[in-house]
Amino acid sequence: MGQAGHYLLTHHFYGLDSSFGGSSNGRYLGNLLEILIMHSPIFAAIFYASIVTIFIWCLWYLTGRTKISLIMALAFFITLQSGYVQSIFMWFAGFVNYLPPISLLLLYCIMFKKYIKTNYSLPAVIFFIMSFVGGLFVEHMTLYQIFVGFISIGFVNLWNKYKNTNLSRNITYAYTLGAVSSAIFMFVNPAYYFSRNEYRKVSFSLDKYFESYVNTTHFWIITFNYFIITLICLSLIVIALKEIKSKRIQYFIIIFDTFFAIYYLSINLYLKLNCKINYINYQFVQINPHFALIDGLLGILFYLFLIASTALVLKRFDTYFYLLSTIALFIPFLFILSPIFICEYFSSFVFLYILGIIYVNKAVAIVNIDTLVYKIFKIIMSGIVLSYALVMFIVIANYQTNMNRVKDPDFLYAAKTLGYKVPYPGFVSQNDELMMQSPLYWHNRLNYKLNDYFYNGNYK
């Protein structure tokens, strides 16, 4: 930001000054896009709309292209927990670093599945570019792309062997090569080896790791995702009643699903009414340690149950991959003690959401309510449109309130903290913590002219 940002931009995003915090890194494309978004509202609008459209399309396509898939893909934003709303969609840095790489990975999954089914693919160079670009945003997705590349190579080998086909491995080699190349390009940045700041604290102490999981991270990774967890549980109950022949397994699934659905709905209501969150570090201000321990252990139990249920019910390679991804993409962050950013768990949640859509699709197909779904499709879609209209109203109300409060001379010229929050702080990054607003930014922003919306060269 300002002189510091200019220094990083001209020094390959590497600097030893501790004030750079997490901005000294190898996220080259994410950093550049963030700078461009901050300097051009027009570009920001186009970029946001394009990435969100691709992301929703990928959710719909990967989960069967049904009406249920379309409904749930479009409802993704309005069913998200507040942590993801604030840290991904209401924060430029979160959006540009986390949504593009997961969208590119989902796009690769679509193209790979189509290749397996039809033996048709785009030129291999497209796959190289896709993974190379996708690896210049955020570290865990850069590394996970390599893992996905090797899985793809292994899958094609097994497919050729057991299906007696002769699919070429060129696209998987190209994707893997692009992923490895982007990882090398990212991690040669000296910030990963010579930085003197203590921005990110990592521990391999089992006690500290478990303490962080119990007191903070498991709530964001598991507990607050109650909407999709409940849908998975309800879908599993329907599937168990209709498809599972063994009464013992049927009772096992129904009892646990009922428990988890009731538990996560109840516990989220309890947390909302009784617990306060500090949105600077995303930790509870005060929470009973015994309650946190029980909830954390139940979260582990839920994932063990989900693994067993998916193996019993879905029995598809792609669903096994989605389940593996939702676990593999949050485990590395359990070792990070600070800072805790909810956006880091977003990629994991996306795969859990995809798995949830697949479960709902299967349940609807089993009970044969396609006709009912068709009849109420327009009603549901109208509800989604109205929900987004409400979100737009909330965002506009926040915007108008914010534009009025930042005109305060004490804030602009005396650097005093703003006096009040916007009416809907849940739709602002970090719950609209007042100390996060910059007088320098708003002094420039309030003097915008028409051409500034296309590009403004001043510091933001």
Short mmCIF file of all heavy atoms in Angstrom, two decimals, residues 31-50:
data_model
loop_
_atom_site.label_atom_id
_atom_site.label_comp_id
_atom_site.label_asym_id
_atom_site.label_seq_id
_atom_site.Cartn_x
_atom_site.Cartn_y
_atom_site.Cartn_z
N ASN A 31 -1.54 -10.81 -6.66
CA ASN A 31 -1.13 -9.46 -6.26
C ASN A 31 -1.38 -8.43 -7.35
O ASN A 31 -1.86 -7.33 -7.10
CB ASN A 31 0.36 -9.47 -5.90
CG ASN A 31 0.65 -10.24 -4.62
OD1 ASN A 31 -0.23 -10.42 -3.80
ND2 ASN A 31 1.87 -10.71 -4.47
N LEU A 32 -1.04 -8.79 -8.59
CA LEU A 32 -1.23 -7.86 -9.70
C LEU A 32 -2.70 -7.57 -9.96
O LEU A 32 -3.09 -6.43 -10.22
CB LEU A 32 -0.57 -8.42 -10.97
CG LEU A 32 0.97 -8.47 -10.96
CD1 LEU A 32 1.47 -9.25 -12.16
CD2 LEU A 32 1.54 -7.05 -10.96
N LEU A 33 -3.53 -8.60 -9.87
CA LEU A 33 -4.96 -8.40 -10.07
C LEU A 33 -5.56 -7.55 -8.95
O LEU A 33 -6.44 -6.72 -9.18
CB LEU A 33 -5.68 -9.76 -10.14
CG LEU A 33 -5.53 -10.51 -11.46
CD1 LEU A 33 -6.07 -11.93 -11.32
CD2 LEU A 33 -6.26 -9.78 -12.58
N GLU A 34 -5.07 -7.75 -7.73
CA GLU A 34 -5.57 -6.93 -6.62
C GLU A 34 -5.23 -5.46 -6.83
O GLU A 34 -6.07 -4.57 -6.59
CB GLU A 34 -4.97 -7.42 -5.30
CG GLU A 34 -5.51 -6.68 -4.10
CD GLU A 34 -4.88 -7.14 -2.79
OE1 GLU A 34 -4.10 -8.11 -2.82
OE2 GLU A 34 -5.16 -6.51 -1.75
N ILE A 35 -4.03 -5.20 -7.31
CA ILE A 35 -3.62 -3.82 -7.59
C ILE A 35 -4.51 -3.21 -8.67
O ILE A 35 -5.01 -2.09 -8.54
CB ILE A 35 -2.15 -3.77 -8.04
CG1 ILE A 35 -1.24 -4.12 -6.86
CG2 ILE A 35 -1.78 -2.40 -8.60
CD1 ILE A 35 0.21 -4.33 -7.26
N LEU A 36 -4.75 -3.98 -9.73
CA LEU A 36 -5.57 -3.48 -10.84
C LEU A 36 -7.01 -3.24 -10.40
O LEU A 36 -7.64 -2.23 -10.78
CB LEU A 36 -5.53 -4.48 -12.01
CG LEU A 36 -6.18 -4.03 -13.32
CD1 LEU A 36 -5.60 -2.69 -13.77
CD2 LEU A 36 -5.97 -5.09 -14.39
N ILE A 37 -7.54 -4.13 -9.59
CA ILE A 37 -8.91 -3.97 -9.08
C ILE A 37 -9.01 -2.71 -8.23
O ILE A 37 -9.99 -1.95 -8.32
CB ILE A 37 -9.32 -5.21 -8.27
CG1 ILE A 37 -9.76 -6.33 -9.22
CG2 ILE A 37 -10.47 -4.89 -7.32
CD1 ILE A 37 -10.11 -7.62 -8.52
N MET A 38 -8.00 -2.47 -7.41
CA MET A 38 -8.02 -1.29 -6.55
C MET A 38 -7.92 0.01 -7.34
O MET A 38 -8.38 1.06 -6.90
CB MET A 38 -6.88 -1.37 -5.53
CG MET A 38 -7.04 -2.47 -4.50
SD MET A 38 -8.48 -2.21 -3.43
CE MET A 38 -7.91 -0.83 -2.43
N HIS A 39 -7.33 -0.05 -8.52
CA HIS A 39 -7.14 1.15 -9.32
C HIS A 39 -8.21 1.34 -10.39
O HIS A 39 -8.26 2.39 -11.01
CB HIS A 39 -5.75 1.12 -9.99
CG HIS A 39 -4.64 1.44 -9.05
ND1 HIS A 39 -4.12 2.71 -8.92
CD2 HIS A 39 -3.95 0.67 -8.18
CE1 HIS A 39 -3.16 2.70 -8.02
NE2 HIS A 39 -3.04 1.48 -7.55
N SER A 40 -9.05 0.31 -10.60
CA SER A 40 -10.05 0.42 -11.67
C SER A 40 -11.35 -0.26 -11.26
O SER A 40 -11.49 -1.48 -11.40
CB SER A 40 -9.53 -0.21 -12.97
OG SER A 40 -10.54 -0.21 -13.96
N PRO A 41 -12.34 0.49 -10.77
CA PRO A 41 -13.64 -0.08 -10.43
C PRO A 41 -14.33 -0.76 -11.61
O PRO A 41 -15.05 -1.75 -11.42
CB PRO A 41 -14.44 1.13 -9.93
CG PRO A 41 -13.41 2.08 -9.43
CD PRO A 41 -12.24 1.91 -10.37
N ILE A 42 -14.12 -0.24 -12.81
CA ILE A 42 -14.73 -0.86 -13.99
C ILE A 42 -14.16 -2.26 -14.21
O ILE A 42 -14.90 -3.23 -14.42
CB ILE A 42 -14.50 0.00 -15.25
CG1 ILE A 42 -15.19 1.36 -15.10
CG2 ILE A 42 -15.01 -0.72 -16.49
CD1 ILE A 42 -16.69 1.29 -15.00
N PHE A 43 -12.84 -2.37 -14.14
CA PHE A 43 -12.21 -3.68 -14.27
C PHE A 43 -12.67 -4.60 -13.15
O PHE A 43 -12.91 -5.79 -13.37
CB PHE A 43 -10.69 -3.56 -14.26
CG PHE A 43 -9.98 -4.89 -14.23
CD1 PHE A 43 -9.85 -5.64 -15.38
CD2 PHE A 43 -9.49 -5.40 -13.04
CE1 PHE A 43 -9.22 -6.89 -15.36
CE2 PHE A 43 -8.86 -6.63 -13.00
CZ PHE A 43 -8.72 -7.37 -14.16
N ALA A 44 -12.78 -4.06 -11.93
CA ALA A 44 -13.20 -4.87 -10.78
C ALA A 44 -14.58 -5.48 -11.03
O ALA A 44 -14.80 -6.67 -10.76
CB ALA A 44 -13.23 -4.01 -9.51
N ALA A 45 -15.51 -4.69 -11.56
CA ALA A 45 -16.86 -5.18 -11.82
C ALA A 45 -16.85 -6.29 -12.86
O ALA A 45 -17.51 -7.33 -12.70
CB ALA A 45 -17.76 -4.03 -12.27
N ILE A 46 -16.08 -6.08 -13.95
CA ILE A 46 -16.00 -7.09 -15.01
C ILE A 46 -15.34 -8.36 -14.51
O ILE A 46 -15.80 -9.48 -14.78
CB ILE A 46 -15.23 -6.52 -16.22
CG1 ILE A 46 -16.00 -5.35 -16.84
CG2 ILE A 46 -14.97 -7.61 -17.27
CD1 ILE A 46 -15.23 -4.60 -17.91
N PHE A 47 -14.27 -8.20 -13.75
CA PHE A 47 -13.54 -9.36 -13.23
C PHE A 47 -14.40 -10.15 -12.25
O PHE A 47 -14.50 -11.38 -12.34
CB PHE A 47 -12.26 -8.89 -12.54
CG PHE A 47 -11.40 -10.01 -12.03
CD1 PHE A 47 -10.66 -10.79 -12.90
CD2 PHE A 47 -11.34 -10.28 -10.67
CE1 PHE A 47 -9.87 -11.83 -12.43
CE2 PHE A 47 -10.55 -11.32 -10.19
CZ PHE A 47 -9.81 -12.09 -11.08
N TYR A 48 -15.04 -9.46 -11.33
CA TYR A 48 -15.93 -10.13 -10.37
C TYR A 48 -17.01 -10.92 -11.10
O TYR A 48 -17.25 -12.10 -10.81
CB TYR A 48 -16.58 -9.09 -9.46
CG TYR A 48 -15.98 -8.99 -8.08
CD1 TYR A 48 -14.68 -8.50 -7.91
CD2 TYR A 48 -16.69 -9.37 -6.95
CE1 TYR A 48 -14.12 -8.39 -6.65
CE2 TYR A 48 -16.14 -9.25 -5.69
CZ TYR A 48 -14.86 -8.77 -5.53
OH TYR A 48 -14.30 -8.67 -4.28
N ALA A 49 -17.70 -10.26 -12.03
CA ALA A 49 -18.82 -10.90 -12.73
C ALA A 49 -18.35 -12.11 -13.52
O ALA A 49 -19.02 -13.16 -13.53
CB ALA A 49 -19.48 -9.89 -13.66
N SER A 50 -17.20 -12.01 -14.18
CA SER A 50 -16.69 -13.11 -15.00
C SER A 50 -16.31 -14.32 -14.16
O SER A 50 -16.70 -15.46 -14.48
CB SER A 50 -15.46 -12.63 -15.79
OG SER A 50 -15.78 -11.54 -16.62
#
